[in-house]
Structure formats: C-alpha cells, structure tokens
Amino acid sequence: MTPEELEAARDRVVPDVVAAGLRVLFCGINPGLMSAATGHHFARPGNRFWPVLHLSGFTPRLLRPAEQDELPSYGLGITNVAARATARADELTPEEFREGGRILTAKVERLRPRWLAVVGVTAYRTAFDDRRARIGRQDRSIAATRIWVLPNPSGLNAHWTAATMADQFARLRAASLDDDGVR
C-alpha cells in the first residue's frame, strides 16, 4: 500500500469480530493504519498477534489477518479499546482510552465472554484507571467476565519476544480451558 492509501484509511472503522458467549474476547488498543486499510485486525506485517495466537495453542494453525472471521469458531473474538485508526497508539488521548474503556465495558456486558484479554498493559491501565495492573489475570471483572492483560504484540514492543508473549497467551488459554474442565 502506498503512504497515501494508508493515510486515507484513518477514517475507516475496523469491524469487531464478535459473538455472544465467546471463551476469550481479545481487545487490541486501536486499529493501525494497515488494519484500517484492509479491514483486518492486527494486519501490519511484523505484528505478532497471529503467530503468538497460534504458538500459544489458541488456533490449530497460523491464521492470516484476512481469516479473522474464523475466530468465533474457536470461541475467540477481537475488538479494540479505541476505534480511531492511528499510525501509533501514542496518538490516542487519555480521554479516548477512558471513553473506550466505557464502551468496552458495555460491549462485554452485552456479549458476556468468559474472558476479556486486553493486549497492552498501558492501554488497560488508562482505559480502566488501574495504575497497578500488570501482565496476567486481573482482580477486577466486568460482570461475570474475568480480565487478563497480555503484552502488546506490536512489532514496536521490543520488550517481549514472540516466545515470551506466547507463554503469556498460553497461560490465558489454560485458564480459559479450566473453565470448561478441559485441558
């Protein structure tokens, strides 16, 4: 895609991939410009979401962003804290994160996934006003939905490798399977 095509994507909305009663609803920070241009979550080459999802055992094979509509068949879905597409998440304002947290809370109350997995601890802290949040299971919940914070899979997040992220995703997967008595 040309830089002009990516810039034009700022006004596009990436639709949620959701259904009622999912096992895990993954929540990104906001769509990047490549995601907005393609209509697919985590679409930028170098984003590690799809490889990590597979490495952790959530999917039986590596899905491409264009195959995101297969996720509900695995009990999984994707949404975002903020809907506005940006080149970098740091372009969002704190108020956009807080408003996104309110919208996300309403969405979770309506869809009732067993787990909400927010990818990005800083986004979670701002959206839910929880400065002490760490990677892993959170003490709070939204109705009966438990919350887990995962590392941000963006290629810009150099603090985590695909392998260390996959370990965290796998911990969530194990917790979500324990809900069913399946391992």
Side-chain angles (χ1 to χ4, degrees), residues 32-91:
L33 298 181
M34 182 68 75
S35 289
T38 63
H40 303 124
H41 294 270
F42 302 104
R44 184 169 189 77
N47 189 297
R48 298 166 290 180
F49 178 80
W50 297 102
V52 167
L53 199 66
H54 173 62
L55 287 170
S56 64
F58 272 111
T59 59
R61 65 179 180 81
L62 177 59
L63 298 177
R64 296 182 322 273
E67 297 174 302
Q68 67 186 16
D69 291 335
E70 292 182 29
L71 288 176
S73 70
Y74 302 117
L76 309 173
I78 304 178
T79 188
N80 286 294
V81 172
R84 184 168 69 96
T86 61
R88 296 176 50 103
D90 62 8
E91 294 176 41

Side-chain angles (χ1 to χ4, degrees), residues 16-180:
D16 291 342
V17 178
V18 297
L22 294 169
R23 184 165 45 107
V24 179
L25 176 59
F26 290 95
C27 181
I29 297 170
N30 72 308
L33 298 181
M34 182 68 75
S35 289
T38 63
H40 303 124
H41 294 270
F42 302 104
R44 184 169 189 77
N47 189 297
R48 298 166 290 180
F49 178 80
W50 297 102
V52 167
L53 199 66
H54 173 62
L55 287 170
S56 64
F58 272 111
T59 59
R61 65 179 180 81
L62 177 59
L63 298 177
R64 296 182 322 273
E67 297 174 302
Q68 67 186 16
D69 291 335
E70 292 182 29
L71 288 176
S73 70
Y74 302 117
L76 309 173
I78 304 178
T79 188
N80 286 294
V81 172
R84 184 168 69 96
T86 61
R88 296 176 50 103
D90 62 8
E91 294 176 41
L92 297 172
T93 67
E95 182 50 39
E96 285 177 288
F97 279 107
R98 287 189 290 275
E99 176 64 15
R102 290 187 286 272
I103 292 167
L104 180 58
T105 296
K107 192 177 298 184
V108 167
E109 287 172 344
R110 181 174 49 86
L111 295 171
R112 298 182 323 272
R114 285 188 233 148
W115 288 91
L116 171 65
V118 179
V119 294
V121 68
T122 302
Y124 176 82
R125 287 175 181 157
T126 306
F128 291 97
D129 194 30
D130 184 353
R131 305 225 182 275
R132 291 193 261 174
R134 301 282 181 259
I135 299 295
R137 184 176 180 165
Q138 305 304 300
D139 291 333
R140 80 180 296 159
S141 61
I142 299 172
T145 299
R146 285 151 296 180
I147 302 172
W148 197 289
V149 175
L150 293 164
N152 181 351
S154 167
L156 298 175
N157 182 0
H159 298 290
W160 293 82
T161 66
T164 57
M165 275 191 265
D167 288 343
Q168 290 298 319
F169 275 62
R171 291 177 67 192
L172 167 60
R173 180 179 174 271
S176 74
L177 292 177
D178 283 347
D179 292 345
D180 296 331

